[in-house]
Amino acid sequence: MDSFSNPSSGSSHQLSAQDLKNQLKSQLALEYAQQFLETVGRKCFEKCVTKPGSSLGGSESSCISRCVDRYIEATGIISKALFSGPQ
Amino acid sequence: MDLSDLNSAEMQKFYSEEQQRAMVNEMVAKLTSECWDKCITGTPGNKFSSSEHNCLSNCAQRYLEMSMLIMKRFQSMQ
């Protein structure tokens, strides 16, 4: 993203409002992603790594993969239930 | 854009919208966490069973109902 040759900004070194908005949005999205990963990590560690060994076994790895997919799916289900209202 | 533009009407609107969005995301995240704990009791499979799916959906809706109930009760105490 090149904000130095943005024709809509007066001076070539100023940040436009749109640039600022984009930067803030990116920052928020990054923080959201970090929190999400932290939560998924906790949940899936709890479900899938019940007796930590000297390495992650095959069944633990596939459990973790499925767990991540399911958690993402669960987020969608909750989201939909909250905003589509009762059926 | 200079410092005073950070408070422009345009930016205020933007902050307000993003704050709303963040609050919604936070609510979904918290509820998903709680409902996952309540509803997904076994090892995650390749898809949700219909009872797991329904539990998650119900969980969110019951939470909303409960929030209304709590608000009403609280208001009746004022």
Side-chain angles (χ1 to χ4, degrees):
Chain A
M1 190 156 72
D2 183 3
S3 59
F4 291 103
S5 54
N6 185 341
S8 68
S9 58
S11 140
S12 61
H13 297 292
Q14 273 189 354
L15 208 60
S16 72
Q18 193 53 52
D19 288 333
L20 179 61
K21 288 185 193 181
N22 290 342
Q23 281 188 21
L24 289 172
K25 276 191 184 249
S26 290
Q27 187 64 34
L28 287 167
L30 183 66
E31 283 173 21
Y32 176 81
Q34 282 174 346
Q35 290 213 327
F36 185 79
L37 287 178
E38 210 183 284
T39 302
V40 173
R42 262 196 343 264
K43 300 297 186 187
C44 296
F45 194 73
E46 189 187 333
K47 288 278 183 207
C48 298
V49 187
T50 45
K51 281 194 162 40
S54 54
S55 66
L56 277 181
S59 69
E60 287 170 322
S61 295
S62 26
C63 176
I64 290 165
S65 279
R66 292 192 308 264
C67 178
V68 173
D69 289 351
R70 295 292 72 70
Y71 200 83
I72 290 168
E73 197 183 339
T75 303
I77 293 170
I78 300 294
S79 215
K80 193 158 172 249
L82 286 180
F83 302 107
S84 301
Q87 300 305 311
Chain B
M1 168 178 265
D2 55 49
L3 284 176
S4 65
D5 295 332
L6 291 176
N7 272 337
S8 68
E10 178 190 4
M11 290 312 294
Q12 296 280 22
K13 179 165 180 273
F14 176 79
Y15 300 144
S16 172
E17 286 169 359
E18 287 307 317
Q19 192 167 41
Q20 282 273 69
R21 204 172 312 231
M23 276 163 50
V24 166
N25 283 344
E26 188 179 353
M27 191 189 186
V28 171
K30 282 191 174 154
L31 210 46
T32 303
S33 176
E34 302 233 6
C35 295
W36 173 272
D37 289 345
K38 286 189 195 293
C39 297
I40 312 305
T41 48
T43 310
N46 286 313
K47 57 186 173 107
F48 285 135
S49 67
S50 58
S51 77
E52 285 172 321
H53 196 289
N54 291 339
C55 181
L56 287 171
S57 190
N58 287 338
C59 180
Q61 288 173 12
R62 297 298 76 69
Y63 187 87
L64 278 183
E65 269 178 38
M66 182 200 68
S67 300
M68 303 272 258
L69 206 65
I70 289 173
M71 221 163 43
K72 281 182 185 155
R73 178 130 195 104
F74 190 71
Q75 278 167 358
S76 74
M77 289 172 173
Q78 301 305 307

